[in-house]
């Protein structure tokens, strides 16, 4: 726990980021590239969905990353509100565009899958609707930071926005449990052998999920480090009186 709180020190965070960014990038590539190649090139077509089923190798990891990314932002926002650690606010800001991109990818690939499976690109069912609202919260969060600047007041407003959006992040994850009549299927990975996906899809999907998660972590660490360095540069210009 002490080591975790040391990350709140910007200099300490930058030092750790410098050591881990390259290994994280390499490991991300090792997981994502083989996972996608294995999933799209070497798995069989589904007997019902055909080759459309392979969309899940992008859709499922992107959706999972989008939801978990917002929850990571929630934790960082709570830390900012309680402890006022600047790095936590910057980490939440850094995660938002990455999560926004993942949410868009999940919505787009889900629409392609839905058109082939349900006969429509969109349906106003619980999980899709809550996920769309999550996307709008991501967009609002990014716009808030980009339009109002980098200040403690903006960080606090963004943190409260994150608290509100977390409701829809959880709904998009567990909507199928709350509303049984929704069109969206249940969990792709399950302990129940009757609903668990076939082993041919299981392992490449796990690779893709792990790879997308590491991709998210790598991009957030990189962006957070960049924000810290930008703040240092801005501080030096201010101290020197340079306009």
């Amino acid at each position: 726990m002490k080591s975790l709180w040391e990350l709140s020190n910007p200099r300490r965070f930058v030092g750790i980021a410098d050591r881990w960014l390259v290994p994280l990038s390499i490991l991300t590539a090792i997981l994502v590239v083989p996972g996608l190649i294995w999933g799209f090139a070497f798995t069989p077509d589904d007997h019902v969905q055909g080759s459309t089923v392979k969309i899940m190798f992008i859709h499922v990891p992107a959706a999972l990353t989008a939801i978990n990314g917002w929850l990571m932002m929630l934790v960082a926002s709570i830390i900012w509100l309680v402890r006022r650690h600047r790095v936590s606010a910057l980490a939440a800001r850094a995660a938002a565009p990455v999560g926004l991109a993942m949410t868009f990818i999940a919505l787009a690939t889900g629409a392609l899958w839905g058109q082939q499976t349900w006969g429509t690109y969109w349906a106003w069912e619980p999980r899709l609707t809550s996920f769309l609202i999550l996307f709008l919260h991501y967009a609002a969060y990014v716009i808030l930071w980009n339009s109002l600047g980098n200040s403690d007041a903006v960080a606090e407003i963004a943190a409260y926005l994150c608290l509100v959006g977390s409701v829809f992040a959880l709904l998009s994850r567990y909507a199928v449990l709350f509303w049984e009549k929704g069109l969206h299927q249940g969990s792709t990975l399950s302990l129940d052998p009757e609903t668990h996906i076939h082993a041919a899809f299981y392992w490449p999907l796990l690779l893709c999920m792990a790879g997308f998660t590491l991709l998210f972590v790598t991009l957030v660490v990189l962006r957070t480090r960049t924000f810290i360095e930008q703040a240092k540069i801005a501080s030096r210009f201010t101290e020197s009186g340079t306009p």
Side-chain angles (χ1 to χ4, degrees):
M1 183 60 68
K2 181 180 179 181
S3 298
L4 180 63
W5 287 120
E6 286 179 355
L7 293 175
S8 63
N9 183 305
R11 183 176 299 177
R12 175 72 171 164
F13 182 93
V14 170
I16 294 174
D18 288 341
R19 290 197 301 271
W20 282 98
L21 272 173
V22 172
L24 279 173
S25 301
I26 294 173
L27 186 55
T28 298
I30 289 173
L31 292 173
V32 172
V33 175
L36 291 176
I37 293 175
W38 186 359
F40 280 94
F42 298 103
T43 57
D45 291 347
D46 183 70
H47 69 285
V48 176
Q49 301 178 41
S51 60
T52 305
V53 71
K54 299 183 181 184
I55 292 175
M56 73 175 174
F57 295 114
I58 294 178
H59 175 75
V60 173
L64 179 70
T65 305
I67 295 170
N68 290 339
W70 191 274
L71 297 181
M72 168 260 156
M73 290 166 56
L74 171 63
V75 173
S77 297
I78 292 174
I79 293 173
W80 163 251
L81 291 173
V82 175
R83 301 292 294 267
R84 281 299 194 265
H85 289 320
R86 188 65 181 168
V87 173
S88 64
L90 294 178
R93 181 187 181 187
V98 184
L100 178 65
M102 291 294 178
T103 311
F104 177 79
I105 292 171
L107 286 170
T109 53
L112 293 175
W113 180 87
Q115 199 281 328
Q116 295 294 320
T117 306
W118 300 336
T120 179
Y121 288 105
W122 183 261
W124 291 101
E125 64 98 46
R127 174 170 278 188
L128 295 185
T129 303
S130 58
F131 203 77
L132 176 61
I133 297 174
L134 177 62
F135 172 80
L136 296 177
H137 274 80
Y138 262 123
Y141 190 96
V142 172
I143 292 171
L144 177 65
W145 273 107
N146 290 342
S147 60
L148 298 183
N150 184 20
S151 68
D152 288 357
V154 175
E156 186 157 351
I157 296 171
Y160 285 116
L161 175 62
C162 190
L163 292 176
V164 175
S166 300
V167 175
F168 298 98
L170 291 172
L171 280 178
S172 60
R173 176 65 181 87
Y174 297 107
V176 292
L177 301 179
F178 301 145
W179 293 279
E180 295 181 357
K181 295 183 179 181
L183 288 175
H184 203 287
Q185 69 186 58
S187 177
T188 302
L189 302 179
S190 171
L191 296 176
D192 185 350
E194 294 185 1
T195 59
H196 191 68
I197 62 171
H198 191 275
F201 302 104
Y202 177 78
W203 294 110
L205 180 58
L206 277 187
L207 277 181
C208 291
M209 291 168 64
F212 272 60
T213 300
L214 274 182
L215 175 62
F216 175 83
V217 171
T218 302
L219 292 176
V220 171
V221 170
L222 176 61
R223 286 176 51 80
T224 304
R225 183 191 181 283
T226 300
F227 285 142
I228 292 173
E229 293 296 339
Q230 288 176 343
K232 287 181 180 178
I233 294 172
S235 177
R236 288 170 186 165
F237 273 102
T238 301
E239 291 173 358
S240 65
T242 304

